[in-house]
Amino acid sequence: MLSLIIFVPLVFALLMLFVPKTQERLLYWLAGIGTLIPFVLSLILAAQWAGAPVSTEPYAEGMRFVTHVPWIEAIGVHYTLGVDGFAFTMILLSTLLFPLAVLASYKYINNRVKDYLILLLILATGTNGVFATLDFMLFYVFWEIVLLPMYFLIGIWGGERREYAAIKFFLYTLIGSTVMLVGAIYLYVVTDVGTFNLLRMAAETSQLPITGLTTFAFFALLVGFAVKVPVFPFHTWLPDAHVEAPTPISMLLAGILLKLGSYAMVRISHPLLPQVATKYADLVFVFGVIGIIYAALAAMAQKDFKKQVAYSSVNHMGFFVMALAAASKLAVNSPELAQVALQGGYFVTIAHGLISPLFFFAVGMFYERTHTRDLTKLGGMFLTVPVISFATAFVAFANLGLPGLAGFIGEFISLTGSYPAFGLWVLVAGVGMVITAAWHLLTMRNVLLGEAKKEYVGLPDINWKEKLIFAPLAVLIVFFGVYPKPVMDLLAASVETLTQVMGLGGM
């Protein structure tokens, strides 16, 4: 099942090579089917989750739906797939967002449609592969597969400064990937474990003494992942990439590609070297909180609507980083409190994966009609396109963390879970929430309220395609805001396991 989820999009991409580029409608149908099948398979696995056997094998302990096949045996590389709560929530999110991105692309992308959709399907394969693999080398292959399609999707179909944004994205990610690979190879060599299996490596590396080299290896991994999250100060590629990327690609970039970094932290950097993570938890916390405050202030200063939403991603992912640092610090002496922080932080990433794509889509709906993202040129949109304006207000309230919507749950638990580790310093992150709420309210006032502008009178309101994209994400935002238990239950075992690993490594 996991192999199908990963490779069905690639099969459809290969199939589309034989379809004439003039058959755009057929190409969209194939891309839609190629992304819908993995989503249906993910739902089938979700239905089977409770009854699925949990592996006890050392290469996949605690995982479900395991596949283990030798690949490059000379260096201990295996085609090993398996998922726990951390991975499966991301696969569900990924397989949901890709069909919505294909639908959002319909009649929006009008040039080189065939090339665009093939790259989108290759991107889906790489993304799903990262979340499903348990072998580092296979993980690295899928990680790099994500890089190339994204570079071309921004560089060919982006805005006026698309080449600059694409190259900046490529360089940041490539350098981060290279540094990450060096750290992983060092751990492979120093432990002499003879395998790149993440779980078997963690059993050895978590017992290493803290030396200059193990510290280097941890930060090599962490920085490689922090670039993708992105964590301050490695975030500067993100606003440019978002502003220049077409709307469907911004949806994927915010919704799932940033989660590659946060997922990799809980799967690789912290389980492999929990002793170093515990030692430097305060430093990681500082970068998380700086990201929360800095990104909130930067968002408030923007005049470009899309860039403003882009900075909000840096702000929200800062809560995950803060909570992960708290869990590292609390795991040794207060594992129950560590679990609270970690669960809240990871829930932030899931909620952000639902809210942020919808926010970028709302910005895109305005841009398609007004051909501007300049906040000073928008205004009175409630009187011009009332349904789109209501949708934008809804997602803005979700993004600022309104109680009853998904954004509130994770950030509130992250703050309360981090307090036992860092005390009143957590209030600094709370200030970031206040600033975030302020710029959201200012933006809604400037864009949605006021007198209708003459040049926008008569603009068409929301259409059927936009309703179809908006509805599922909005429903999930409300549902998980009111009833987060299904996600929390899915994460519980994984959170407990990682907390135990960090607790033992930190002793």
Side-chain angles (χ1 to χ4, degrees):
M1 277 285 202
L2 291 177
S3 294
L4 288 174
I5 288 171
I6 294 169
F7 291 111
V8 161
L10 184 61
V11 170
F12 274 80
L14 295 173
L15 181 62
M16 288 166 62
L17 291 174
F18 302 99
V19 178
K21 63 181 180 180
T22 55
Q23 300 292 318
E24 293 184 359
R25 191 176 183 86
L26 176 59
L27 290 167
Y28 271 111
W29 271 106
L30 289 173
I33 295 169
T35 52
L36 272 174
I37 289 174
F39 179 56
V40 172
L41 293 174
S42 299
L43 294 179
I44 293 171
L45 291 185
Q48 298 174 351
W49 182 266
V54 179
S55 176
T56 56
E57 297 291 342
Y59 55 77
E61 187 172 357
M63 302 293 166
R64 289 174 166 87
F65 312 118
V66 175
T67 300
H68 183 67
V69 180
W71 185 22
I72 310 174
E73 292 190 82
I75 56 173
V77 177
H78 295 77
Y79 178 78
T80 307
L81 306 179
V83 291
D84 60 357
F86 290 139
F88 192 56
T89 49
M90 290 295 108
I91 285 178
L92 285 169
L93 183 60
S94 175
T95 56
L96 168 65
L97 290 177
F98 271 98
L100 295 179
V102 172
L103 183 58
S105 303
Y106 181 62
K107 292 187 177 179
Y108 178 83
I109 301 296
N110 298 312
N111 66 308
R112 302 181 65 176
V113 170
K114 179 178 177 177
D115 299 338
Y116 172 87
L117 293 174
I118 288 174
L119 289 170
L120 198 65
L121 290 171
I122 295 172
L123 183 65
T125 289
T127 304
N128 295 339
V130 165
F131 296 130
T133 184
L134 296 175
D135 184 281
F136 182 83
M137 293 309 295
L138 190 59
F139 170 91
Y140 189 77
V141 168
F142 285 125
W143 184 274
E144 293 302 294
I145 285 174
V146 169
L147 174 60
L148 288 175
M150 200 67 188
Y151 168 76
F152 288 114
L153 287 166
I154 297 172
I156 296 175
W157 291 273
E160 292 182 3
R161 299 175 72 243
R162 57 185 177 271
E163 293 180 5
Y164 166 78
I167 291 172
K168 192 173 183 180
F169 162 78
F170 185 87
L171 289 176
Y172 266 75
T173 308
L174 182 63
I175 293 170
S177 299
T178 305
V179 172
M180 169 187 74
L181 181 62
V182 171
I185 291 175
Y186 166 75
L187 293 177
Y188 171 82
V189 172
V190 76
T191 57
D192 196 27
V193 72
T195 180
F196 279 98
N197 179 268
L198 293 171
L199 301 186
R200 290 182 60 189
M201 284 181 70
E204 299 292 330
T205 57
S206 61
Q207 305 305 313
L208 291 173
I210 299 177
T211 64
L213 286 174
T214 53
T215 301
F216 162 77
F218 173 76
F219 280 102
L221 293 170
L222 189 66
V223 167
F225 304 145
V227 169
K228 196 74 112 181
V229 170
V231 178
F232 175 91
F234 308 108
H235 67 284
T236 57
W237 64 269
L238 182 67
D240 292 313
H242 267 310
V243 167
E244 301 306 324
T247 296
I249 303 307
S250 285
M251 292 171 64
L252 292 174
L253 181 58
I256 198 64
L257 295 190
L258 304 188
K259 311 308 176 292
L260 299 177
S262 56
Y263 169 76
M265 288 182 183
V266 300
R267 174 64 68 232
I268 300 177
S269 60
H270 282 62
L272 259 60
L273 292 168
Q275 65 276 41
V276 185
T278 299
K279 181 178 179 180
Y280 291 98
D282 289 343
L283 179 62
V284 175
F285 169 79
V286 168
F287 282 109
V289 171
I290 290 175
I292 293 170
I293 295 291
Y294 165 80
L297 292 171
M300 181 176 280
Q302 300 306 312
K303 299 301 181 184
D304 186 303
F305 200 174
K306 203 174 186 185
K307 185 172 281 192
Q308 194 173 56
V309 180
Y311 274 108
S312 78
S313 290
V314 181
N315 168 269
H316 289 301
M317 296 307 287
F319 283 92
F320 163 77
V321 175
M322 177 187 71
L324 183 61
S328 300
K329 192 168 184 177
L330 293 169
V332 175
N333 298 316
S334 305
E336 295 84 3
L337 296 176
Q339 290 178 37
V340 172
L342 184 57
Q343 201 163 37
Y346 206 74
F347 192 91
V348 167
T349 69
I350 296 168
H352 180 264
L354 297 171
I355 296 168
S356 192
L358 198 55
F359 212 164
F360 279 109
F361 184 64
V363 174
M365 287 193 289
F366 281 124
Y367 183 75
E368 283 189 57
R369 289 159 173 81
T370 64
H371 306 292
T372 184
R373 294 188 301 266
D374 190 335
L375 293 170
T376 63
K377 295 181 180 179
L378 296 169
M381 302 308 291
F382 255 128
L383 300 175
T384 307
V385 281
V387 179
I388 291 176
S389 298
F390 174 81
T392 304
F394 167 83
V395 72
F397 280 120
N399 203 47
L400 67 82
L402 185 73
L405 301 175
F408 171 77
I409 300 293
E411 292 184 5
F412 180 77
I413 297 175
S414 297
L415 286 170
T416 55
S418 299
Y419 178 79
F422 302 111
L424 293 177
W425 286 108
V426 173
L427 293 179
V428 179
V431 173
M433 293 181 71
V434 174
I435 299 171
T436 297
W439 74 254
H440 278 86
L441 294 173
L442 288 171
T443 297
M444 283 191 282
R445 185 195 67 183
N446 294 336
V447 174
L448 305 180
L449 304 179
E451 295 294 326
K453 296 197 174 183
K454 293 180 180 179
E455 59 267 35
Y456 301 144
V457 173
L459 290 177
D461 209 339
I462 196 167
N463 58 42
W464 67 268
K465 184 190 83 170
E466 293 163 340
K467 290 177 183 177
L468 201 57
I469 294 168
F470 181 84
L473 294 176
V475 168
L476 290 173
I477 289 168
V478 174
F479 179 78
F480 290 132
V482 175
Y483 189 65
K485 189 175 184 297
V487 174
M488 296 301 188
D489 289 347
L490 200 57
L491 294 175
S494 303
V495 167
E496 183 178 358
T497 300
L498 179 56
T499 303
Q500 290 173 353
V501 170
M502 291 194 295
L504 292 172
M507 287 182 177

